[in-house]
Amino acid sequence: MVQQSAAMPGKTTGNIYRYYILFVMMLTYMFNITDRMVMSILIEDIKADFVLTDTQIGLLAGTAFTLFYVLLGIPAGRLADRTNRKKMISVAVSLWSLMTALCGVATGFWTLFLARLGVGVGEAGGNPPAISILTNYFQSHELSRAMGVFSVGAVLGPVVGFVAGGLLAEAYGWRWTFIILGLPGVLLGVLIYLTVREPDRSQFSEAGEETTKATTQEPFATTMASLWRNRIFMRVALANALAVTASYAFAIWLAPILIRNFEIPVSQVGIYLGIVWIAGGVPGMIIGGYVTDKLALRNPKWRAWYCAIVVLVALPLLCLCLLTDNLILALILYAVGYGVHSSTQGPAIAMMQSSVSPTERGTASSIASLSATFLGYFIGPAVAGAISDNLAPDHGTLSLNYAVIGITILSLTLAILAYLYAARAVPDTPPKPA
């Protein structure tokens, strides 16, 4: 049975509390990304310690993490649609944080591979219930902004992973870095359990939708069939997955690229990347959500059109940052390109969540996350590593640059076309505020 809170967000719950919920969910997303991304800043140290190839590193950074993440993603989403979501988030963040800490005691490739599998198991249960909860605290006309703030966690996560990870790695080594960054997530899990109130799932459902429909989960086959027929959801999920594939490629490989190309210490790389991530990503996430909420009041198609336009702008900037031999220029190009590209997250999530029923939101979120993770983490890092290994004899340290550029051009070009295709499914009339 679905548990409902006595507090009704937007009715009897004040703005301060619902923004507290938004902040805590953003922190959850931040820890989620920190624990999966800290591996990137430690790649060169781990590679040297265990004597690994770029292909093996790609398997550790991406494939190992996503193996169980992909397998458990949809079941986690289904669970988020029928169980107490705050308890689910609390358990998930505690689990993946413990597994991150265990990465620090790995003895070789396979033990580290298994620990990364465990990180994926925990993180599979994080975002679906978090996004589902937020849809019951914010109405559809403000959802892009809320999801933009939530997505700031995807920016702050790498910042913490790179800056703190780089400084800790230089001071204490890569093993203690995993341990120190992993354990605080357990405290966040306790905080969520004690302070977050489970909202009513029917809150802010579309006008005319029956409460029983909003709180009773359909059979799995019925839900999947409904989502498959949902043209907006399917097209936006595909476009978003293609777009974030390039983001994940940079998130995993940019640190080792800078270390190899410019021969700078790991702590310095962490600070540089932390600065550009904040400078580009935080305003990008927030501005994208705010702008598209305003544009969508005129025509909801603008959410998809906006995404296509900004991805087109980001594509050359991201490629050029890997071709320059000037470190400062490379960082500036990446900061601008990443900031523009990241502004798609708020509107993309809002389009997907607004297009499905309340009892489909967790499953929909899992499918969208699974699609993005499969392309961006399961396939992307291993493919980039393999391409880099093959190009290395002829191109040396630039082999990794060329591998990431190839993935970026292919994924973002397809993402632009997919967003334009998604716009055709979005209705012209904006929904009325609840």
Side-chain angles (χ1 to χ4, degrees), residues 98-394:
L98 285 172
M99 295 309 298
T100 298
L102 286 177
C103 289
V105 298
T107 58
F109 173 82
W110 285 111
T111 50
L112 185 53
F113 189 92
L114 291 173
R116 291 286 290 175
L117 285 178
V119 176
V121 171
E123 292 194 8
N127 275 9
I131 291 174
S132 179
I133 279 180
L134 291 177
T135 60
N136 296 135
Y137 277 97
F138 294 89
Q139 300 183 58
S140 61
H141 69 278
E142 57 187 358
L143 195 55
S144 284
R145 279 168 283 178
M147 291 307 172
V149 174
F150 171 72
S151 296
V152 167
V155 178
L156 297 181
V159 170
V160 174
F162 280 113
V163 176
L167 294 172
L168 289 170
E170 192 164 284
Y172 304 107
W174 66 266
R175 294 182 181 278
W176 275 105
T177 300
F178 275 123
I179 295 170
I180 294 172
L181 289 182
L183 293 180
V186 179
L187 298 179
L188 177 62
V190 174
L191 178 69
I192 291 169
Y193 182 82
L194 294 177
T195 65
V196 171
R197 295 198 292 269
E198 179 76 6
D200 181 354
R201 291 178 187 269
S202 65
Q203 179 69 10
F204 300 143
S205 59
E206 292 297 321
E209 186 171 28
E210 296 179 1
T211 302
T212 54
K213 184 179 177 182
T215 57
T216 304
Q217 188 180 50
E218 297 287 350
F220 177 70
T222 302
T223 299
M224 293 301 292
S226 173
L227 293 174
W228 177 257
R229 292 192 301 268
N230 188 325
R231 295 188 302 161
I232 298 175
F233 171 74
M234 292 300 295
R235 295 180 188 184
V236 176
L238 174 62
N240 181 65
L242 290 166
V244 300
T245 295
S247 293
Y248 289 154
F250 274 87
I252 291 172
W253 292 114
L254 187 55
I257 284 175
L258 294 178
I259 292 172
R260 296 179 193 185
N261 293 172
F262 299 103
E263 298 181 351
I264 49 182
V266 64
S267 60
Q268 194 172 337
V269 170
I271 293 172
Y272 286 158
L273 290 181
I275 292 173
V276 298
W277 235 297
I278 291 177
V282 172
M285 296 287 188
I286 296 175
I287 292 173
Y290 180 81
V291 169
T292 52
D293 270 346
K294 294 296 184 182
L295 291 173
L297 292 176
R298 301 178 183 177
N299 188 334
K301 290 180 183 291
W302 264 111
R303 283 188 172 126
W305 289 337
Y306 174 89
C307 291
I309 292 169
V310 298
V311 171
L312 178 61
V313 173
L315 175 54
L317 296 172
L318 293 174
C319 291
L320 287 172
C321 87
L322 297 178
L323 294 174
T324 179
D325 59 0
N326 183 293
L327 175 61
I328 300 302
L329 180 58
L331 293 173
I332 292 174
L333 287 169
Y334 178 67
V336 177
Y338 174 65
V340 172
H341 180 279
S342 66
S343 69
T344 64
Q345 288 303 291
I349 296 174
M351 280 189 286
M352 289 185 282
Q353 289 291 298
S354 297
S355 70
V356 302
S357 71
T359 55
E360 294 174 342
R361 285 170 179 161
T363 304
S365 177
S366 290
I367 292 174
S369 180
L370 184 153
S371 302
T373 303
F374 181 77
L375 289 178
Y377 271 96
F378 189 79
I379 295 178
V383 171
I387 294 173
S388 175
D389 285 336
N390 284 308
L391 294 178
D394 295 325

Side-chain angles (χ1 to χ4, degrees), residues 50-61:
F50 290 157
V51 191
L52 304 175
T53 65
D54 279 345
T55 302
Q56 288 176 303
I57 288 294
L59 291 171
L60 288 172

Side-chain angles (χ1 to χ4, degrees), residues 28-43:
T28 303
Y29 200 6
M30 184 193 79
F31 274 80
N32 182 305
I33 302 298
T34 295
D35 288 353
R36 77 170 72 171
M37 291 308 308
V38 67
M39 178 82 180
S40 179
I41 198 68
L42 306 175
I43 280 177

